[in-house]
Amino acid sequence: MKSEHRHELKTNELAEWLGNLPQWMKENLITIIIISAVIIAVAIFFVWNSHRKKAVAQEQLEFTNLLNQLRSSKMQVLSAQEQGRDLSFILLQPANNLATFAQNTMNDRMAALALIKRAEALRTELHYRPGTVSQQDRTMQINQAEAAYTEAIRKSSANQPLIAAAEFGLGLCAEELGNFDKAKQIYQDIVSNSNLEGVVALAAAEHRLKTMDDYKQKVVFKPAPPVASVPQSTTPVATQPKIQIKPVDANLVPMSLPIQVPAPPNNISDVAPPHPNFIPVYGPPAPNNVSKVSEPNEPK
């Protein structure tokens, strides 16, 4: 009975609360709306933040892939040059991809860096061309690089290292177009900026100011000497005679050479038998004007 009574009381309380709910919602409508809006805003923020982090990570990966593509293209161009081929034009593709990335990304710093790399790729393509670049092509492509550097400065806002890198690139463009006075002024502005202490562009600008006068002179390479043709000689080339080693023939020994024959031993039996290939060699006969030598036992 007690359990049934408790269940009946709970049922009555729930029914009473449900009956008073509309009145309570009317009285607290503003509070309910505010709490609901806060909950929805927090949920939207977490969803948006998660999506933004994924988008930033994806953009960073894409940008890294573009930089690797640019580096790989440079290696292909250099490898082709060793084989006598010109592949400098393949650098234009990553340059265009970097421009597209800079337009689509919401990150201004990555956009500025992409534009700086695009300008470097355009300038590098001119330097990697094996032949002489026409003034029209040089001016057109350097103007594109200058536009990329200028846009990078605009997107860099207060990032001093990126601004200095883009300004240094503008100085290089001025040099490549032959405007050395403009380039010198750009480098001096970078060097005089006290906010750029320790920045790479500052050291690079100082180096260009010291060495820029060397680049004003036109480099002329001395022509290679003509290759002298070697005349073909009609004289037959003497060949070294072949030497054949054979056993000496005793009969071919010159008779003019003095040959000493040893005296016969006293005991004939002590003489060893001659070798089967032994050939006796006799000296020349004694001259007529030599007196006869007496034997020891012969009477005088």
Side-chain angles (χ1 to χ4, degrees):
M1 294 297 294
K2 292 182 179 180
S3 60
E4 294 178 359
H5 181 67
R6 288 196 297 269
H7 179 69
E8 184 178 355
L9 291 175
K10 290 181 179 180
T11 303
N12 293 335
E13 291 177 357
L14 178 61
E16 185 180 358
W17 183 83
L18 291 175
N20 297 330
L21 181 60
Q23 183 65 27
W24 179 86
M25 291 181 64
K26 290 181 180 180
E27 295 176 353
N28 301 281
L29 180 61
I30 297 177
T31 304
I32 293 173
I33 293 174
I34 294 174
I35 294 175
S36 300
V38 170
I39 293 175
I40 293 173
V42 170
I44 292 175
F45 172 78
F46 278 106
V47 173
W48 174 83
N49 190 41
S50 177
H51 177 73
R52 184 182 65 84
K53 289 182 178 179
K54 291 181 180 179
V56 170
Q58 185 176 1
E59 283 186 346
Q60 291 177 348
L61 179 60
E62 181 182 358
F63 184 54
T64 302
N65 292 335
L66 289 176
L67 295 180
N68 291 335
Q69 180 185 3
L70 178 60
R71 188 180 302 108
S72 176
S73 299
K74 290 181 180 179
M75 297 300 296
Q76 292 181 15
V77 173
L78 294 176
S79 178
Q81 286 181 352
E82 295 178 355
Q83 302 174 3
R85 297 184 300 161
D86 177 23
L87 294 181
S88 58
F89 60 89
I90 66 175
L91 291 172
L92 299 178
Q93 184 61 44
N96 295 333
N97 294 339
L98 287 167
T100 303
F101 175 83
Q103 293 176 356
N104 297 332
T105 183
M106 300 299 295
N107 191 318
D108 288 341
R109 291 188 178 182
M110 280 200 298
L113 185 57
L115 290 170
I116 291 174
K117 292 299 181 181
R118 162 180 164 78
E120 291 179 358
L122 293 173
R123 292 177 42 250
T124 303
E125 194 275 335
L126 291 175
H127 291 289
Y128 280 3
R129 290 190 191 181
T132 303
V133 182
S134 64
Q135 186 64 30
Q136 181 180 0
D137 290 347
R138 181 183 299 276
T139 303
M140 180 185 65
Q141 201 148 312
I142 292 301
N143 288 338
Q144 294 177 3
E146 286 182 339
Y149 283 129
T150 304
E151 182 66 14
I153 294 175
R154 188 184 68 83
K155 287 183 174 293
S156 297
S157 63
N159 193 313
Q160 292 296 327
L162 286 178
I163 294 176
E167 290 178 347
F168 180 75
L170 289 175
L172 295 176
C173 291
E175 280 193 69
E176 290 168 350
L177 292 178
N179 195 345
F180 293 99
D181 293 335
K182 180 181 178 181
K184 185 177 181 180
Q185 183 61 46
I186 293 174
Y187 298 148
Q188 287 177 348
D189 292 341
I190 295 175
V191 172
S192 60
N193 190 345
S194 59
N195 297 325
L196 299 178
E197 184 177 358
V199 177
V200 177
L202 176 63
E206 291 177 346
H207 177 72
R208 299 300 291 188
L209 286 174
K210 295 178 181 178
T211 60
M212 190 172 59
D213 291 338
D214 297 337
Y215 307 137
K216 296 180 180 179
Q217 301 177 1
K218 185 177 181 181
V219 179
V220 179
F221 294 96
K222 182 179 179 181
V227 180
S229 59
V230 180
Q232 297 182 356
S233 177
T234 57
T235 306
V237 180
T239 57
Q240 185 177 1
K242 298 181 179 180
I243 301 176
Q244 298 180 355
I245 301 177
K246 296 181 179 180
V248 179
D249 190 353
N251 295 326
L252 299 179
V253 176
M255 299 304 296
S256 60
L257 296 178
I259 300 178
Q260 296 181 357
V261 180
N266 295 329
N267 190 357
I268 301 301
S269 62
D270 295 337
V271 180
H275 193 273
N277 296 332
F278 174 76
I279 301 175
V281 180
Y282 298 95
N288 296 328
N289 57 354
V290 179
S291 60
K292 181 180 180 182
V293 181
S294 62
E295 295 295 335
N297 297 328
E298 182 180 1
K300 294 182 182 179

